[in-house]
Amino acid sequence: MANGQEPGAAFHITVFTTHSAEETTKLGKQLATHLKPGTIVLLRGDLGAGKTTLIKGIAEGFHAAAAEDVTSPTFTLIHEYRGSRLTLYHIDLYRVDTQRELDTLALDDLMGPESILLMEWGEKFERFVREKDAEIVIEHLGGDERRISFSKPTTETDLGELSARKHEDKGPDS
Ligand code: ADP
Ligand code: MG
């Protein structure tokens, strides 16, 4: 599981723009169809960017939880949502700073062929940057607008449907 990528492996990046929390949740539901069991997905973005909001949709997509039941695990660190096919682990490492603290979470025990680890602030630990299978970056563009980039290795070519919905990134800072 989470075999990571060869150094320099190419990623396929799809960029979306959303204009409300609802739209982001809806996008999460669509992205769920592109996530595979036995993987680690990093969600990156500032506080309030919309990581947890997107995960609401991902959990709905897997029939693992209703959006309103998905809340931030900032203090509990891990939330578990059981779907019929697999279990989603929603992990927030914002308050986890040392290797020792990380070890107490025993995240290795959660990984397996029937689980997906959705991690907020996973990039704080080099290990997860290396081991991630997919990455979602959310940027606050102002107001309720968010730019959401979904990347996964190019070896997986099932992004056709998503690409059709792609919003070209024409931001001034792109
Ligand atoms: P994070 O987990 O990245 O810290 P949250 O998902 O908890 O962020 O919070 C995002 C906040 O921004 C929520 O209050 C949400 O309602 C609001 N919001 C406004 N517009 C959007 C949008 N387009 N996408 C996601 N969240 C949005
Ligand atoms: Mg969050």
Side-chain angles (χ1 to χ4, degrees), residues 115-173:
S115 62
I116 295 179
L117 271 55
L118 302 167
M119 279 193 200
E120 300 189 33
W121 302 101
E123 72 276 13
K124 286 170 73 175
F125 296 92
E126 169 59 26
R127 176 189 164 186
F128 299 123
V129 174
R130 261 187 289 114
E131 293 187 0
K132 69 178 187 288
D133 299 281
E135 181 170 81
I136 299 168
V137 179
I138 308 181
E139 295 161 88
H140 200 154
L141 297 181
D144 286 349
E145 209 174 340
R146 304 289 192 275
R147 176 161 50 212
I148 301 175
S149 313
F150 176 60
S151 57
K152 52 188 243 174
T154 45
T155 46
E156 298 172 48
T157 51
D158 56 352
L159 276 167
E161 179 206 334
L162 277 179
S163 299
R165 297 163 174 275
K166 178 175 174 180
H167 295 238
E168 284 304 329
D169 183 355
K170 299 194 181 83
D173 55 353

Side-chain angles (χ1 to χ4, degrees), residues 16-86:
F16 305 86
T17 305
T18 66
H19 306 86
S20 68
E22 294 68 35
E23 214 183 312
T24 294
T25 301
K26 220 166 153 185
L27 175 65
K29 212 167 163 176
Q30 291 170 21
L31 291 181
T33 64
H34 296 271
L35 302 180
K36 296 197 165 42
T39 59
I40 294 177
V41 181
L42 292 195
L43 289 104
R44 307 178 60 153
D46 294 340
L47 280 178
K51 302 180 291 296
T52 296
T53 301
L54 190 76
I55 290 173
K56 285 173 181 282
I58 294 174
E60 281 202 333
F62 282 106
H63 303 284
E68 60 267 29
D69 294 329
V70 174
T71 56
S72 177
T74 301
F75 296 99
T76 47
L77 307 182
I78 304 172
H79 283 171
E80 179 179 325
Y81 310 117
R82 268 174 210 243
S84 50
R85 289 190 292 125
L86 50 78

Side-chain angles (χ1 to χ4, degrees), residues 78-95:
I78 304 172
H79 283 171
E80 179 179 325
Y81 310 117
R82 268 174 210 243
S84 50
R85 289 190 292 125
L86 50 78
T87 302
L88 298 179
Y89 291 101
H90 178 187
I91 298 155
D92 189 337
L93 300 181
Y94 186 69
R95 288 173 186 280

